[in-house]
Amino acid sequence: KDGCRCDLTQSGHPACFWPLGVGHFAFARNIQQRNGEGSSPYEKKFHEGIFPGERVPFGAAIQFRQQPAIEKGKQHPTMSSVMVPGVFLGWKQHPGGKWAKGYIVADLREYIGMDLRVGGKIKTQVVDRIDFDPADIRFPLKAMYDKAIGTLEGLSAPKGRNAADVAAQGIEDFDFANDIGDLDDVHIEFYRGI
C-alpha cells in the first residue's frame, strides 16, 4: 500500500489511479538491484541479465510516439512533431511478469480539465519507445494536484471542476511569501481538545 501511495502522491495522481500505481510499484521493485548484478527478483526469475528497459518513476514526464491509429487521427496535426508529451504509468507485461517490451503511457492532454481531487478516465497507450531523461525528472500533474487538494481554492471548487474554474470566478491564489511574510515571525499554538 505505502509504495502505491508514494507513487500517486509524488506524481500528483488521485487515488482512482491506484491499479496503475500498484502495478508500477510492484514491477519497479522487482527490477531493482539488491546486491549487484543478477540480484533483482526479475533477473533471478528470467535469467536474462539486467533489465534492459527504461526505469522511470510513476507519473514522470516523458516524450513518446503515439500508436499509429492515434497519430494519424484528427487531433494530431500533420506537420507537428511525432513525439508528444506524456506521463509514464508502467511497463507492459506478459502473464507471469516478464516484460513485453512495451511501456504504458498517457498523452498529457488526457488530463486536461480533470478534477485531480477525484480523478477521471484516461486512454492509455502501449508504446515500444519513450524518451526519458533521468537527470531531469519532472511530474507534470504535481503542481495542479497540490493546488487541488492542498488549498482552500482547490478544495472549494465544485465537484467535477478544477481549481482553474474557481480562479476564473474571482478567487485569487494564496501566495505564502506575500500574504504571510517570513514564517519565522509566525507563532502557531496547537491546543489539545478535551
Side-chain angles (χ1 to χ4, degrees):
K1 285 185 195 178
D2 290 339
C4 176
R5 286 183 187 134
C6 181
D7 271 356
L8 296 175
T9 303
Q10 173 179 272
S11 68
H13 278 81
C16 69
F17 288 92
W18 73 264
L20 290 165
V22 165
H24 175 277
F25 178 76
F27 194 82
R29 187 160 170 82
N30 281 330
I31 62 174
Q32 182 65 41
Q33 298 284 326
R34 303 291 197 270
N35 298 316
E37 189 172 333
S39 65
S40 76
Y42 186 87
E43 292 170 78
K44 288 178 181 179
K45 181 173 183 178
F46 298 112
H47 306 288
E48 295 181 350
I50 296 175
F51 177 71
E54 296 277 354
R55 297 166 192 251
V56 184
F58 183 82
I62 57 162
Q63 295 275 324
F64 71 97
R65 186 173 186 160
Q66 298 193 84
Q67 294 171 338
I70 296 171
E71 187 178 319
K72 292 177 183 170
K74 292 180 181 179
Q75 290 184 339
H76 192 78
T78 306
M79 299 312 277
S80 66
S81 172
V82 296
M83 300 297 277
V84 296
V87 173
F88 184 81
L89 300 172
W91 299 267
K92 178 71 176 165
Q93 300 170 57
H94 292 295
K98 187 173 183 181
W99 184 46
K101 296 189 174 33
Y103 301 100
I104 303 169
V105 300
D107 187 331
L108 193 54
R109 293 174 289 192
E110 290 289 326
Y111 295 92
I112 292 175
M114 181 182 290
D115 182 345
L116 292 176
R117 295 169 300 172
V118 294
K121 294 183 178 183
I122 61 169
K123 291 180 188 173
T124 61
Q125 300 179 51
V126 176
V127 297
D128 59 359
R129 194 185 80 134
I130 59 172
D131 284 345
F132 170 69
D133 181 3
D136 183 26
I137 299 174
R138 293 174 290 112
F139 299 97
L141 275 64
K142 183 65 172 158
M144 287 189 69
Y145 174 79
D146 286 346
K147 185 175 182 178
I149 67 158
T151 66
L152 287 176
E153 177 183 354
L155 294 171
S156 300
K159 289 284 182 201
R161 307 203 30 212
N162 60 31
D165 295 333
V166 176
Q169 297 171 14
I171 298 174
E172 298 176 5
D173 288 336
F174 185 77
D175 182 357
F176 282 97
N178 292 327
D179 296 340
I180 290 182
D182 188 1
L183 290 178
D184 292 335
D185 297 336
V186 177
H187 177 71
I188 300 173
E189 291 185 31
F190 292 96
Y191 295 95
R192 189 173 172 178
I194 297 175

